[in-house]
Amino acid sequence: MTSKMVFWVLTLFPGMLECLRYSVVGRAWQSGLIDIRTIDYREFAADKHLCVDDSPYGGGGGMVLKVDPIVRALRSLPTGTGRRVVLLSPQGKIFRQEDGRRLAAYDEVVFVCGRYEGFDERVRAYVDEEISLGDYVLSGGELGAAVLIDAVARHIDGVLGNSGSVLTESHGEGCLEYPQFTRPEVYEGVAVPKVLMSGHHAEIERWRRKEALRRTFLRRPDLFEELTFGTGDYALLEELVAEYPELAGLREGWQHLRHQAKRVRFTR
């Protein structure tokens, strides 16, 4: 790989990516671990008015980004290998944590941002894949590109101060993250769980895993059904059913998942 990962963002509004100059990604950018470069479609317009959009054939409201400025912008990129071109589109595959890890393996990722009513359909022939943030529509792809750059950059060595953080945070291993606490020890009658102050690291890790399983089961059952459990998780699942009344009404589904996990999904 190259010494730094390069993110290209093709857009009508380059200034919107300035938000990435802050926090973790901003530090990685400043230190040279990553580089974020923007290209304005208007630089590749063919007329003196710098027009990059037009009304759609067949009629309809709004304007559509033209294919030729976008393709010229893509072709202006320096020749290189290890590049992935991503079209930000509500019709794309929903972005998941594993996509962040996958894209982080490339030397360069190019994000093609839409605007207005979208882009000429022929643009799709010049990209490698389409990604969506979710089942909703934004005014353009710039905010989506910023989100994806942040999500991908976290998987690059050296970007996070603690290399283990990306594994323990929500979705790092398929689960939602366990609850976190800091000072004060008691706030308005709510105390920090005693196990977290015990100094017993094995018990702390056990508690965190159990809470991660519980949260995922209650809040994101769709993720829970996709989990691959370790052999140590079986006892935690049993404890959760016994300890938390809110799980009682879900026992039938829980038992089914527990049975499936016992049969085929334990890995260690």
Side-chain angles (χ1 to χ4, degrees):
M1 291 182 64
T2 58
S3 59
K4 69 175 73 174
M5 182 170 184
V6 179
F7 296 99
W8 296 91
V9 183
L10 279 55
T11 171
L12 277 175
F13 300 101
M16 292 186 69
L17 279 299
E18 287 297 307
C19 62
L20 291 169
R21 292 195 178 276
Y22 302 93
S23 192
V24 171
V25 174
R27 290 195 296 270
W29 191 357
Q30 186 175 16
S31 64
L33 288 171
I34 66 172
D35 194 9
I36 303 170
R37 305 175 186 176
T38 59
I39 294 181
D40 191 334
Y41 294 137
R42 291 186 181 88
E43 296 176 10
F44 300 92
D47 68 319
K48 65 179 181 180
H49 300 294
L50 304 182
C51 181
V52 296
D53 61 311
D54 208 338
S55 55
Y57 280 117
M63 303 293 280
V64 175
L65 287 177
K66 300 168 69 174
V67 61
D68 44 330
I70 295 177
V71 173
R72 282 195 289 269
L74 283 170
R75 288 176 175 166
S76 76
L77 298 177
T79 302
T81 58
R83 176 182 293 159
R84 191 73 171 170
V85 180
V86 177
L87 185 68
L88 281 303
S89 165
Q91 298 183 31
K93 172 183 177 288
I94 299 294
F95 183 82
R96 304 284 297 269
Q97 184 77 348
E98 56 264 29
D99 294 309
R101 289 191 290 268
R102 174 176 60 84
L103 291 175
Y106 288 94
D107 293 338
E108 300 182 5
V109 178
V110 182
F111 294 109
V112 180
C113 302
R115 269 282 155 179
Y116 311 128
E117 293 303 310
F119 40 77
D120 188 299
E121 178 68 17
R122 291 166 289 188
V123 168
R124 286 190 160 92
Y126 298 89
V127 305
D128 297 312
E129 64 177 292
E130 296 182 43
I131 288 180
S132 170
L133 291 185
D135 294 330
Y136 52 89
V137 178
L138 298 172
S139 298
E142 292 80 14
L143 294 178
V147 168
L148 295 185
I149 290 171
D150 190 296
V152 172
R154 298 173 68 83
H155 295 281
I156 299 171
D157 290 343
V159 169
L160 297 182
N162 179 356
S163 60
S165 296
V166 74
L167 296 177
T168 58
E169 61 193 4
S170 288
H171 307 289
E173 293 183 325
C175 279
L176 299 183
E177 188 178 17
Y178 50 79
Q180 297 272 24
F181 297 88
T182 188
R183 293 181 178 85
E185 181 180 334
V186 179
Y187 182 72
E188 295 190 350
V190 180
V192 175
K194 291 188 180 300
V195 66
L196 298 180
M197 299 180 289
S198 69
H200 195 304
H201 297 298
E203 286 301 311
I204 291 172
E205 290 306 310
R206 192 173 189 277
W207 179 88
R208 285 174 168 172
R209 177 62 176 174
K210 185 164 69 172
E211 286 299 302
L213 289 169
R214 181 175 75 91
R215 282 195 163 186
T216 306
F217 181 74
L218 290 174
R219 301 181 182 189
R220 291 293 303 276
D222 57 317
L223 292 179
F224 190 88
E225 291 184 5
E226 298 178 4
L227 288 177
T228 298
F229 299 104
T231 51
D233 291 336
Y234 183 71
L236 299 180
L237 299 180
E238 289 282 8
E239 290 180 17
L240 284 167
V241 173
E243 291 177 15
Y244 292 97
E246 63 263 36
L247 299 180
L250 302 174
R251 176 172 288 275
E252 182 178 349
W254 179 278
Q255 296 287 12
H256 170 70
L257 288 171
R258 186 185 66 180
H259 176 66
Q260 290 295 101
K262 183 179 180 182
R263 270 198 312 118
V264 298
R265 294 198 292 166
F266 284 145
T267 60
R268 61 185 186 275

